[in-house]
Amino acid sequence: MVFMKGAWTFSLFFGVCAWALAPTAWAQEAVSDLTRCEKSFGKEAVSNTIETCRLELTGPVTQPRRIKILETLGKAYLAQNEADLAISTWSEASQYSKLSREDQSAAESWTRLQVLIGQTYAQVNQTERAESHFKKTLNTVEQVVGRYSLPAGMVQDALGSYYALQNKPAEAEAAFKRSRIVYEIRLGKTHARTLETRMNHAIGLLDMQKEQEAIESFRVLAEIINPLAQYKKEPIRAEILTFLGTLQMRSEKLAEAAKNYQTAFEVRQAAFGPNDIRTSQSLNNLGVVLYRAGDLKRAETALSRAYIIRADALGSQDPLTLSTQKNLQAVIAAQNAAKKVPAENEKRN
């Protein structure tokens, strides 16, 4: 589950691969099934999302929808760097879920909330508490619903990412292996969640400075997912291609990187809409690689769109907005410099 990553990043300025607190491989719900809170997250300013979520909780809502609202509210709090509020919100949400062998959906919901809590402890550098929380969650899940249950796979996946960030290769590899086994047994080798844990493993390789192994893993994943019709507009495809594109840009394979970033943008635009924060990430990435390749006009177009989306949703002083602004300023400066050269040559002649 990639909801947050203190993971490897690369950018012209602040970070091409900025990770938003948003689902990736999880199947996207129909818009009509989303709460107002969920619809707001990533499309409006975070403060507006928080207000929307709070208001929705005051009305009559079913228990499953209450859990979804609280989960999203916690993510919004974390986006404002309010980790304690996020954790307490997810703890409240978990009280409405139950860990039961008879109710798989509720068991996964409860486990997902515990994973978010553990990830947040890790993000605020409470590493011992994070590891303890993950291990306690895993022990509880294995006792109640089974060692090879999907909730157990979820926790193993999160543990793999945690150990990778702590640079504990043996522990990370063991956790990712167990997670992949669970998903392949339960769901099949090409299911989105199986592919996601393989993607998280590849990200973990980057966290552990094993870049060549990571490149090969992302390349294999792209070869698997690109031909599959069911993933044509699925966010996990965009995530895989984004990481692969960034690695290609590091290796100066700019044409290949631009192609993958372009596809990732098209996928996210179809999945989330043209004005979503996640769509803006792909536009920012595309603008950076086009700038590097010297295609300044297209770079300006992509970065201008990314800047508008981020400024509207996050505000002009948000780090993501500022990073895109600096990228755009670099493109405009390069355009102005290119214009000066012919003028100076003409003046000499």
Side-chain angles (χ1 to χ4, degrees):
M1 296 165 61
V2 180
F3 290 102
M4 60 198 73
K5 276 274 181 207
W8 168 95
T9 56
F10 172 80
S11 173
L12 180 63
F13 288 106
F14 283 88
V16 163
C17 285
W19 280 92
L21 307 183
T24 55
W26 298 95
Q28 300 301 301
E29 293 181 86
V31 174
S32 59
D33 294 332
L34 296 176
T35 63
R36 295 197 306 275
C37 173
E38 291 172 293
K39 291 176 184 176
S40 172
F41 186 65
K43 292 183 172 63
E44 300 179 9
V46 175
S47 58
N48 291 348
T49 296
I50 290 173
E51 183 64 20
T52 298
C53 296
R54 287 172 172 170
L55 285 173
E56 195 167 9
L57 286 169
T58 63
V61 291
T62 63
Q63 188 162 299
R65 291 176 75 81
R66 181 175 295 276
I67 294 167
K68 291 199 292 183
I69 294 167
L70 288 168
E71 181 177 332
T72 305
L73 179 59
K75 294 175 187 176
Y77 282 138
L78 193 60
Q80 288 195 155
N81 297 315
E82 297 180 275
D84 290 341
L85 269 177
I87 289 170
S88 64
T89 302
W90 292 325
S91 296
E92 178 186 349
S94 67
Q95 295 175 15
Y96 295 100
S97 295
K98 62 178 181 178
L99 189 62
S100 166
R101 191 184 291 270
E102 287 72 37
D103 190 340
Q104 184 70 27
S105 177
E108 290 192 35
S109 175
W110 182 88
T111 305
R112 184 167 61 251
L113 292 163
Q114 301 310 311
V115 165
L116 284 167
I117 291 169
Q119 289 175 321
T120 303
Y121 283 139
Q123 186 168 326
V124 296
N125 296 318
Q126 296 184 34
T127 54
E128 290 184 6
R129 195 168 185 179
E131 184 172 4
S132 174
H133 186 83
F134 282 134
K135 287 182 174 179
K136 181 180 177 181
T137 300
L138 180 61
N139 183 59
T140 302
V141 165
E142 290 184 341
Q143 287 186 357
V144 176
V145 294
R147 186 177 182 185
Y148 292 97
S149 64
L150 289 175
M154 292 163 62
V155 185
Q156 293 284 12
D157 182 54
L159 263 173
S161 294
Y162 167 78
Y163 283 131
L165 286 167
Q166 299 304 311
N167 199 25
K168 296 181 177 180
E171 293 90 339
E173 292 292 342
F176 279 127
K177 182 178 179 179
R178 286 193 288 268
S179 177
R180 182 174 171 181
I181 288 171
V182 167
Y183 287 132
E184 288 189 353
I185 290 172
R186 293 284 182 179
L187 303 172
K189 291 186 177 182
T190 59
H191 191 278
R193 291 169 69 174
T194 307
L195 296 176
E196 183 179 45
T197 202
R198 292 184 65 177
M199 178 182 73
N200 290 345
H201 180 215
I203 296 168
L205 291 170
L206 288 173
D207 291 329
M208 295 184 288
Q209 308 301 314
K210 298 181 178 182
E211 188 167 313
Q212 290 305 312
E213 292 179 48
I215 290 172
E216 180 61 19
S217 294
F218 282 117
R219 187 189 62 76
V220 170
L221 284 168
E223 288 179 354
I224 292 171
I225 205 167
N226 277 333
L228 297 175
Q230 66 266 37
Y231 292 116
K232 185 176 181 180
K233 297 180 181 179
E234 286 298 315
I236 186 174
R237 184 179 178 217
E239 304 302 339
I240 290 168
L241 295 180
T242 294
F243 271 103
L244 181 58
T246 303
L247 289 164
Q248 289 166 335
M249 183 163 66
R250 282 175 62 92
S251 303
E252 295 299 321
K253 297 177 180 178
L254 302 182
E256 294 176 39
K259 180 180 178 181
N260 283 319
Y261 280 156
Q262 178 66 37
T263 303
F265 160 66
E266 292 167 2
V267 171
R268 282 183 173 148
Q269 182 169 246
F272 304 123
N275 298 315
D276 191 273
I277 291 297
R278 290 158 287 192
T279 305
S280 77
Q281 179 196 344
S282 290
L283 285 167
N284 184 72
N285 296 346
L286 182 59
V288 169
V289 76
L290 291 172
Y291 166 80
R292 292 273 301 275
D295 192 340
L296 300 181
K297 184 175 182 179
R298 289 177 64 205
E300 181 186 6
T301 299
L303 289 167
S304 295
R305 289 182 63 187
Y307 175 78
I308 291 169
I309 295 168
R310 289 179 167 183
D312 288 347
L314 303 173
S316 61
Q317 298 306 306
D318 185 88
L320 288 178
T321 307
L322 292 173
S323 73
T324 300
Q325 183 182 43
K326 289 191 174 184
N327 291 340
L328 182 57
Q329 288 170 342
V331 170
I332 293 171
Q335 288 175 328
N336 291 337
K339 290 176 184 177
K340 287 180 180 178
V341 173
E344 290 176 358
N345 289 340
E346 185 175 338
K347 192 179 293 185
R348 292 194 196 99
N349 293 334

